[in-house]
Every structure is written in structure tokens, then in C-alpha cells.
Amino acid sequence: MDTPRVAVVLVGRNPTPALLSSLTLPADRVVLLCSDGTRTPAERVAAALARLAPDRAVSVEGVGPDPHDPAGVAAALERVHRAHGTAPRHLDYTGGTKVMSVAAALYLGAPAPGQAAPRFHYLDPATDLLRSADPAEPPLPLADAGIDLGVLAGIHGARWLSDREPATVRAALRGGARGLREAFPGLHPTEVRGVVNEADVLRHLRHITRGRDGVEVLGPRRVADPRHPADSIADFDALVRFRHRVLCVEVKSGPEEVVARAGWTVAKARRVFGNVAKVLFVHTGPAVPGLRERVAAHNPALNSSQVQVWSLDDLRARLSDGEALHRAFFPGGAVPARPASAAPPADRPAQAPAPVCAVTAAPAAPILVTALGSSRLGLLSAVHAHRPERALLLSSHQGMRAGVREAAARALYAAEHPGAPLPDAEGLRACGYRDRIRFAADPVDGFGAGAVADAAHDWIGRMRGEDPGRPVVVDVTTGTKAMSLGLALAARRSGACVACQVVRDRRVVCLTHGGAAVQDRAVVAWSLVLDGYAPLVGPLADAVCEQGSAQVDVPLVAAAAEHMVRAAGGPVGVWVDGSLADPATADTARERPAVVLTFDDRALGLAAPSWSRTVRSGAVRKVSRGAWAQSVSAATGHLNLRCDVAGKVMALTRPGGDVGRAAELVAWITQEEPDGSGGGADGAAGWGFGDPQRPVLVVADPGAPPAVWDTDVSTL
């Protein structure tokens, strides 16, 4: 019997890439590797694969409770090896954490005699191709046969309350407004217009897509509430699927409704379908110039090609056939060119010996190679932890370099001179610290692990030529996952140590040797990390304009900040969102933490979106529970982008009738399972850093401060 081809696919919170990769990789057996926190989506993917690919054996293997523990990953892969009698042939590292990706790749390592080299794959969202870490290998087109809207929703834990359109929509599809009124004579005229508009959009979408392969169109669907299975937690007016990508269509009676509901609509679309979802808002009446810009101004997170706003007349005129729909919302990606100079894997040198650990037993300051990601905090912490003699920073084409080199030099100086006054930029240059931090000459492809590996390997070789005895460490904590894997591959080829930061415990772990070094706390240039924020001087109310105070519950945020600053055992930085003071930008403040408290190398964001908002006419309208939950989610994402696992958001609200349901919606958006331990609406004990995408929701009155405000965050 031939040796089975085994593929390991890492599973994160978004299970769609895991499903697509499992269907695409040439394997007889698929092992879905997950942490305890992502076991549920992994099991959903396994169930879907059992139906879609019954010829493949599928299993779920866990790495334990900590997805940042390399030992758990190695132990899980050892079990996989024993169970299948062979090392995995393929590794898809799109899902999971960076530590899981790199630890898995290093575990597979060099093949045993007579075995083929393992192949590492990454699902490139720009091209919809499964790319190899080796640029010499052609990418694999995604296989998505059998996938439909029900499957995509199902792996995200969503199911429809009914598989049919509502009776009202069916009546409008058959007989228009007249047929609807005859079938449901008690409907209000406003309801009649809304249902007829939904039916018109659905009829048009079905007409232009009829007979096209890989296209599916559904009418209105309601998503069952996991906490109240007989009720709905979200709904969609129409859904269009092209292969594995989804367009969620929302029909509104006027343009003002689009602005008010945009955030919640996008949040529920991404919750049910992941990052493959796009949203189209269709409103009645004439097109409104600048409406999409107004949506983006109300919620900066929606300023992307994922969100479009059209009038109903635009829809009919612009989507004349299925090809027009495809061009507008599902354009195909180009196949990345294969570099002519790429060498095949067999020509690459084997791993060089590394007798001395550059993390735990280095006789001298090491040479550091790391990447610049969206969170600059990880980069500054890496410089602090390793205290390198020289450091190379790799950035992608999208990376923002401004101020990074100076901040890294300052972090290095602070690490080597604890307690000493920090020099200014000219002082850092004069004492040589700025020259110890270098950027690579050219940006790299953030999705090309092979190109990153080549760039890092070449630089390590040059540094070793200049200083042969100095140890080299590659820190894979920051940058894209492909960049992290590329750095790890370069380290393996050059005999360097591979390190990652376990931010939850403030440790640096050497993945090559298994050693761990405890670090003290980094000096962070928070002004660089928290762009858009400034130190708070004086009372918070004085830093907020009238428009800002209408967006955020300022007294509640101020009370929480005052209590938590007093409770801290060390110095605390207090940073305020700059948009709160500017009437031109204050209407976006609900989408960000109003105040961020910094405790050494930790950041706690305080978000308290208001339960009302002022519309363009000047009227004040109540905010829906879904819109409030979406604002909390947006604020969480805002801080996560800047601080990664070193950041946490505390969402604040006062006691009221909508709080319980809003808490459930926040939990649903952030994928907290109904029986999960996310803290609930009472700020339960046990919260901390390490899970930045799930906020802590605290219901509080400034006059009766909750016990959670007495937490000394500096000890977490």
C-alpha cells in the first residue's frame, strides 16, 4: 500500500480558508490543527468536508489551550505522525496563529531520507490561489465544488431559520404590489413598498444570473440565534454567491437608512461569511452623490471596495447581465508571476548547525532579523527583548515606515540603559543607536514567503561575513504570516535561531532550541503605536467637542479611566482619541476607543459608544442594539490592529433595557460560543490579555463603580 498523502491545515477564527485549502490540497488525509478556542469551527469544517469530499479521511487535532505555545504544536504533529505512519506532506498555514504556523513548519523541517520535502501553502486572498512558500512551485487554483451559501454559513456557525423566502416576498414576486396587497391586506403601505423593493431586486438578480455555473441567488434569509434558537439574530435581503465569494444585498427605503445601518450590516455579513463577503446597499429614489463617502465618514472601517452603495435605478442599469455582476463584485485575480531566478528546493542548502542559542545562551548581542507588521508594538518589543548589535527590519509594500527606525533605536537604548534619560533623535544618531537599526533596501511581497526567505537569508549571510562569530536570531512575531514563515525558513537555511514573543506571559521563546528567556518590560513609543491619539492633559470633558460628546458616553469613560489609573501599581499613560476634539471627525468617534490606558507594554482601550446619534437633519435618533454592538466590534478591531495581543478593549455601557441583548450581539460578532467564558455583561473576573478580538463588556454607573475597575492592569 502506498504511503498516504497527509495534509495539515491550520484553523483560525475564519474557517473558510481551511475548508478551501482542504478541498484543494492533493491529499488522502486531512488533519485540521486547532487550539481549544478554534476547535468548534474546526469541527464544523470537518463535518462539511465529510459531505463535500467523502473520499478523504478528515480528523481534528488540538494543540491545547494556548495557540502561542510551540510545544503544543510540536506535540500535536508528533501525534499526527504516529497516527498516520508518515510525516505530513503538505502544510497550509493560512489559519491559526503565527506561532502555530512557524512551529509547524519547523517541526516538519528537512525530510527524512527517501521522503519528499514538505510543502507549505498560503491562501492568497488577492488572487484566490493557494500559493507555495517556494516561488518555484506554481500556485494551485482553489477547488470549491459543492460549496453553497448554506455550507459557507454553516462553517461559521450560522443556519437559516427557514430555507424559503418569506410568504410576503413570494407574493410580491408573483404579483407585485397588487398581488402582495391582495394576499396580505393588513400590511401598512410602508411595509408594502419595502417588500416590493426587495422582490424587485431579487427578481433582477435571478434574471441576470439564470443558467450561470457557480452562481447561487437566495432571497431574504434570517439567521438563527445560537442563544435563542427559535429567534433571529440577523437577516439578509438577498444573497449572491459566485463560487466561494458572497455578495450580501441590503435594500433600504432611503439613503439615510444606509448610513445608519451600514456598520451593523457589514458586521453581520462578515460574521456569517467571513472575509469573502462584500456588501451592496440598494436604496430607492435617485442616486445621492457622495453617499458612499458619507458611509465611510460615519464608519472609517467601511472605506473599502468591500462596500458599495447604489440606487435601485443604478442596479437595473449597471447590472444588465451576469457578466456585469461578475465584473462589479467578483473580479478574478491575476496569477502571481514566478520569479525567473527562483531556485528549486533541492538546490537550497540544508540547515546549518547552531550550537549556541542566540536567545538564551548568546555570548554577545545577536544580529536580529524581523518584520514590520501593522502592529509596531511587536517590533519594538522584539528590539527590547533581543537587544541586538544590529537589526534588519523587513517591510512589505504596504508597510508604514515613518518614525519606526527612531522608535526602535529608542527602545534599544532604553533596554541597554534602564532608567537613563532617553536622548533625542540627534542623540540617538550620535551614539550610534540609529545606525544599529536598518531597513531592507527594498520592500518584500507580504504574501511571498519564498521572497522573504531569500532576502533574509542573503542579509544574514552578509552579516556573518562581516562578523562570523556573532549569533543570529530571527523574530517571527510581527509581519504577515507569510513573512513570518519566510523568516523562519531563512533561519533554518542559515542555522539561526527562530524566536517568538509570548506576549501573554512576556516571554521570548526559542523555537529552534526550545529554551525560553524571561524579559522585563519594553519602553514603547506609544505615540507611534497609537496613531490618532494624544496624551490627555486635564479632564477628559475638556478634550471633547460637542459633537464628540454626542458620540461617546464621556462621563462613563472618564470615571473608568480615573478608577483604573488609581488602581495601577505603576505609571499609566492616558491617551485620548484625537477625533473627539474635532467637529469634522467627531461623528466617527464611536468606532474607536475614546481613551487608551498604557501600562508599560500593555494597552487597555475604553470604548463607550452612545446609545443615540444625531442625523443630518439635526434630529436625535436611538441607536439600535446591533449598531451599538458593531461600534464595540469596530473599536476592538481598531486597537487590535495597533497592539495585537498586547491590547484589550473594555466596552462600557450604563444599565438599561437594551444592555443584555447588546451583550449577546457583541458576543455573536466576536464569535464567542454561547457557553464560552467571555466575561459577560458584568465584567467577570478572569479577563486579561492574549485574546484581543474579544472585548470585555462592563455595565456600570459612574456613581456605583464596579469591582472590575479596581483591577491593577499593570500586573496582567
Side-chain angles (χ1 to χ4, degrees):
M1 180 177 178
D2 293 336
T3 301
R5 296 173 300 172
V6 179
V8 171
V9 177
L10 305 188
V11 183
R13 282 210 173 101
N14 178 16
T16 303
L19 176 63
L20 295 171
S21 296
S22 298
L23 292 170
T24 303
L25 290 173
D28 307 305
R29 303 178 184 178
V30 175
V31 179
L32 301 171
L33 197 65
C34 62
S35 66
D36 290 356
T38 56
R39 178 169 285 275
T40 297
E43 290 174 344
R44 294 185 191 126
V45 171
L49 287 170
R51 299 190 303 271
L52 298 174
D55 58 325
R56 299 187 179 192
V58 182
S59 60
V60 176
E61 186 67 48
V63 303
D66 188 358
H68 301 93
D69 177 18
V73 176
L77 290 175
E78 182 64 30
R79 293 193 297 270
V80 171
H81 195 154
R82 290 198 305 267
H84 297 281
T86 182
R89 177 76 174 87
H90 298 273
L91 169 68
D92 180 270
Y93 62 97
T94 312
T97 65
K98 291 175 187 174
V99 174
M100 288 175 64
S101 303
V102 173
L106 292 177
Y107 173 86
L108 296 180
Q115 277 191 335
R119 295 184 177 181
F120 308 134
H121 305 271
Y122 185 85
L123 202 163
D124 185 345
T127 60
D128 280 345
L129 294 169
L130 204 60
R131 293 176 59 173
S132 171
D134 193 303
E137 295 179 7
L140 301 174
L142 291 180
D144 50 19
I147 289 180
D148 59 19
L149 287 162
V151 169
L152 291 173
I155 61 175
H156 287 84
R159 64 175 181 84
W160 315 133
L161 281 176
S162 173
D163 287 329
R164 300 184 68 193
E165 281 80 47
T168 51
V169 174
R170 297 200 301 271
L173 286 170
R174 291 191 303 267
R178 184 173 185 176
L180 177 61
R181 283 192 292 266
E182 290 175 353
F184 298 90
L187 283 182
H188 189 276
T190 301
E191 293 180 89
V192 171
R193 287 195 297 271
V195 172
V196 169
N197 290 335
E198 289 181 16
D200 285 348
V201 170
L202 179 58
R203 184 185 299 109
H204 184 74
L205 293 173
R206 283 178 171 165
H207 171 71
I208 64 175
T209 59
R210 186 174 293 118
R212 289 183 66 91
D213 292 336
V215 179
E216 178 185 9
V217 179
L218 296 181
R221 290 293 187 274
R222 294 194 302 156
V223 180
D225 187 339
R227 288 169 171 78
H228 312 279
D231 298 330
S232 168
I233 198 166
D235 61 8
F236 300 97
D237 293 338
L239 296 165
V240 181
R241 177 188 60 82
F242 179 78
R243 297 187 62 195
H244 64 276
R245 294 197 171 272
V246 181
L247 177 67
C248 302
V249 183
E250 195 83 359
V251 183
K252 298 299 181 185
S253 59
E256 194 61 41
E257 281 195 53
V258 174
V259 178
R261 302 295 180 88
W264 168 240
T265 301
V266 173
K268 67 185 180 184
R270 291 176 178 167
R271 173 59 180 85
V272 175
F273 296 110
N275 295 334
V276 300
K278 294 187 177 183
V279 174
L280 170 64
F281 294 98
V282 180
H283 65 85
T284 56
V288 178
L291 182 57
R292 185 172 178 274
E293 288 69 23
R294 278 181 55 201
V295 170
H298 183 67
N299 183 348
L302 306 185
N303 186 18
S304 72
S305 60
Q306 303 296 104
V307 181
Q308 294 292 330
V309 184
W310 294 5
S311 71
L312 185 55
D313 290 340
D314 280 341
L315 179 79
R316 296 191 183 103
R318 296 170 68 175
L319 300 185
S320 56
D321 54 31
E323 188 57 38
L325 175 71
H326 185 207
R327 288 195 306 270
F329 298 105
F330 307 109
V335 177
R338 188 189 310 177
S341 61
D347 294 339
R348 290 182 171 167
Q351 178 177 350
V356 177
C357 178
V359 177
T360 61
I367 293 169
L368 169 67
V369 185
T370 190
L372 173 62
S374 57
S375 172
R376 295 156 180 176
L377 180 55
L379 167 64
L380 300 178
S381 297
V383 170
H384 169 88
H386 301 292
R387 295 158 168 79
E389 176 62 26
R390 296 187 68 178
L392 173 70
L393 312 181
L394 293 174
S395 67
S396 68
H397 294 286
Q398 298 79 25
M400 301 296 290
R401 298 188 179 196
V404 171
R405 188 176 179 188
E406 182 178 316
R410 185 176 290 110
L412 179 58
Y413 184 94
E416 294 183 348
H417 302 83
L422 291 175
D424 58 15
E426 187 56 39
L428 289 171
R429 187 188 300 274
C431 58
Y433 276 83
R434 198 172 188 278
D435 288 340
R436 290 168 63 180
I437 310 294
R438 298 289 179 88
F439 273 108
D442 299 307
V444 297
D445 179 3
F447 295 115
V452 173
D454 290 342
H457 182 258
D458 290 346
W459 195 81
I460 291 172
R462 290 198 300 274
M463 290 300 98
R464 280 197 166 138
E466 298 176 10
D467 193 352
R470 192 171 295 277
V472 179
V473 59
V474 170
D475 193 300
V476 298
T477 309
T478 60
T480 66
K481 294 186 74 175
M483 293 172 76
S484 294
L485 182 64
L487 289 173
L489 295 176
R492 193 177 72 187
R493 288 160 55 188
S494 59
C497 286
V498 179
C500 69
Q501 302 166 48
V502 184
V503 180
R504 187 198 310 264
D505 303 321
R506 290 188 175 94
R507 289 184 298 130
V508 177
V509 177
C510 178
L511 277 69
T512 308
H513 297 91
V518 179
Q519 61 167 334
D520 52 8
R521 302 188 181 189
V523 173
V524 175
W526 285 109
S527 59
L528 179 70
V529 176
L530 298 174
D531 53 310
Y533 287 77
L536 177 63
V537 179
L540 177 61
D542 294 348
V544 181
C545 66
E546 182 180 354
Q547 292 86 342
S549 63
Q551 294 288 319
V552 174
D553 189 335
V554 175
L556 185 59
V557 172
E562 290 169 6
H563 278 80
M564 302 196 85
V565 168
R566 282 200 301 267
V572 183
V574 183
W575 301 77
V576 61
D577 177 14
S579 70
L580 283 168
D582 185 356
T585 60
D587 60 350
T588 69
R590 67 172 61 242
E591 311 295 327
R592 291 181 291 275
V595 166
V596 177
L597 307 178
T598 56
F599 306 81
D600 292 322
D601 54 355
R602 295 277 201 256
L604 177 67
L606 302 178
S610 173
W611 281 94
S612 62
R613 72 181 186 93
T614 304
V615 297
R616 298 186 81 186
S617 65
V620 177
R621 294 183 179 174
K622 184 175 171 48
V623 171
S624 70
R625 296 168 299 189
W628 190 89
Q630 181 276 327
S631 291
V632 170
S633 176
T636 303
H638 187 84
L639 190 69
N640 181 217
L641 186 65
R642 286 150 180 78
C643 302
D644 198 28
V645 294
K648 190 75 173 181
V649 164
M650 180 177 287
L652 304 166
T653 186
R654 298 175 190 249
D658 287 331
V659 168
R661 185 55 175 165
E664 291 178 346
L665 294 175
V666 170
W668 182 71
I669 292 174
T670 57
Q671 302 188 49
E672 181 184 322
E673 296 300 323
D675 58 349
S677 55
D682 58 353
W687 70 277
F689 294 88
D691 194 355
Q693 299 181 40
R694 288 177 176 163
V696 178
L697 183 59
V698 176
V699 180
D701 188 311
V708 71
W709 286 359
D710 294 326
T711 304
D712 184 354
V713 180
S714 66
T715 64
L716 299 181

